Amino acid sequence: MTTDPIPVVLDVDTGVDDACALLLAALHPALDLRAVSCVGGNAPVDDVVRNTLLVLETAGRTDVPVARGAERPLLEVPVDARHVHGDDGMGDLGWGPPAARSDRRHAVELLRDTCREAAETDRPVTLVPLAPLTNIALLLRTYPDAAQGISEIIFMGGAAHVGNATASAEFNVFHDPEAAAVTLDAAADLGIPVTMYGLDVFYEPVVTADVVDELIAVGGRGPAELGGRLIAFQNQRFGRDASTIGDAGAVCAVIDRTALTTETLPLRIELAGTWSRGRTIVDRRDWSGDMAHDPHGEAPVRIEVALGVDGARYAALWADTLLGRTGER
């Protein structure tokens, strides 16, 4: 576990599991949440901004600037995931609108300014994108000097073995594959380490019904109740007795990396395939032998790919944080 607070910036498309991630980032003492940028994805961007402000207000973190970013992918027609996250994008919660307002800057400008300040103070941020990578691609190509204020990128997206938006592709990458490709190429060019927290581990940290009841019972429309109601929504919608904390697992990885098993692997984003567009092609072959027969060669981008996780540990980390029991286990 970390000891000094780690400066973090989240890029979100809030989203039930983005909300779970925001609660953890806002409340855990190991993290110093500096800013949140919003992008269209799970819900249209204006809904994302509203949901994000509501989560941070519930967590008592109205000090964190929130900015509206890209409305749509670079090339693709925008889609959403209301069938997963509810009509409002956040579990049809029915809570009133937040009193807080978003930052006047565009999300890419907020990211730029936050990263530049981090570089000037020699406290680079861990950038945690939990959404389509449109804002991040625009940031790194428009303001490459921002890389000096980024220690690493841990993004939720992609997979080595499975898909969900299609049989091949995970939703965040599928939603804007060009942005994913640009982000990974830019990070490689700029020397930013990248970890992919994808579907291979995404579903493992689950919160059970008894923990949901404990969270909701806290009441007061505080962060514990909110987190419990978000998980309860997933349980009800999909007929389960336990549901994943999803994107929040990527935030857990910032706090407790030892629970995550990764491997450094070459990776490409498929941009042209009829059935495979948006797939993260993770190359797990042994390149120490003769691979000259491959006309494509080894992918120039190599990142840390999450292949295993202690799901129970991450789920407990999330729930304990919302219940104010950090460090008790």
Side-chain angles (χ1 to χ4, degrees):
M1 302 287 285
T2 57
T3 53
D4 296 329
I6 300 170
V8 294
V9 172
L10 269 57
D11 184 75
V12 299
D13 59 342
T14 316
V16 169
D17 54 337
D18 301 76
C20 291
L22 283 163
L23 289 170
L24 179 61
L27 295 172
H28 199 282
L31 302 180
D32 174 13
L33 182 59
R34 297 290 188 83
V36 180
S37 53
C38 298
V39 64
N42 286 328
V45 69
D46 288 330
D47 290 348
V48 171
V49 172
R50 180 200 64 228
N51 293 344
T52 301
L53 290 169
L54 176 60
V55 173
L56 291 175
E57 188 172 277
T58 302
R61 293 301 308 275
T62 55
D63 59 303
V64 178
V66 174
R68 182 185 190 275
E71 297 181 2
R72 51 158 297 157
L74 298 177
L75 295 178
E76 286 280 2
V77 175
V79 296
D80 61 49
R82 294 177 192 269
H83 63 289
V84 174
H85 298 273
D87 289 340
D88 66 355
M90 204 169 72
D92 296 327
L93 194 63
W95 291 9
R101 295 291 178 263
S102 60
D103 196 278
R104 292 184 177 181
R105 287 169 288 183
H106 188 279
V108 175
E109 295 173 326
L110 173 62
L111 291 169
R112 174 201 63 193
D113 294 347
T114 303
C115 292
R116 285 176 175 173
E117 181 182 354
E120 290 171 0
T121 58
D122 199 26
R123 290 204 70 204
V125 302
T126 296
L127 181 57
V128 188
L130 306 173
L133 288 159
T134 318
N135 285 339
I136 311 305
L138 293 170
L139 170 73
L140 295 181
R141 285 307 191 205
T142 308
Y143 304 108
D145 67 292
Q148 298 172 32
I150 301 172
S151 61
E152 64 175 327
I153 295 173
I154 302 176
F155 77 97
M156 190 282 120
H161 301 297
V162 294
N164 61 358
T166 69
S168 290
E170 177 276 331
F171 176 82
N172 284 343
V173 177
F174 174 79
H175 190 268
D176 197 343
E178 280 76 20
V182 168
T183 296
L184 295 178
D185 284 348
D189 290 345
L190 297 167
I192 306 172
V194 176
T195 296
M196 182 174 85
Y197 185 95
L199 294 180
D200 307 290
V201 294
F202 179 89
Y203 296 108
E204 294 302 314
V206 297
V207 177
T208 55
D210 58 322
V211 177
V212 168
D213 291 342
E214 184 180 5
L215 289 163
I216 293 175
V218 173
R221 291 203 171 185
E225 182 183 357
L226 174 57
R229 293 197 179 281
L230 293 171
I231 301 295
F233 170 83
Q234 293 184 84
N235 287 349
Q236 180 179 19
R237 174 149 289 201
F238 299 108
R240 303 169 178 155
D241 59 5
S243 289
T244 179
I245 61 172
D247 289 352
V251 178
C252 290
V254 183
I255 301 166
D256 183 6
R257 191 66 60 92
T258 61
L260 195 66
T261 301
T262 67
E263 188 175 345
T264 306
L265 294 166
L267 181 145
R268 286 187 171 97
I269 307 295
E270 175 58 65
L271 299 178
T274 300
W275 311 115
S276 57
R277 178 167 163 79
R279 180 179 182 133
T280 47
I281 301 174
V282 178
D283 190 347
R284 303 193 68 186
R285 295 174 294 174
D286 180 3
W287 278 86
S288 63
D290 182 9
M291 301 295 287
H293 65 278
D294 186 338
H296 306 296
E298 183 177 349
V301 171
R302 295 175 66 88
I303 68 171
E304 291 293 313
V305 177
L307 297 173
V309 65
D310 186 337
R313 194 154 125 194
Y314 276 5
L317 170 61
W318 180 80
D320 286 347
T321 300
L322 270 58
L323 289 165
R325 299 197 299 234
T326 305
E328 293 185 10
R329 292 179 189 244

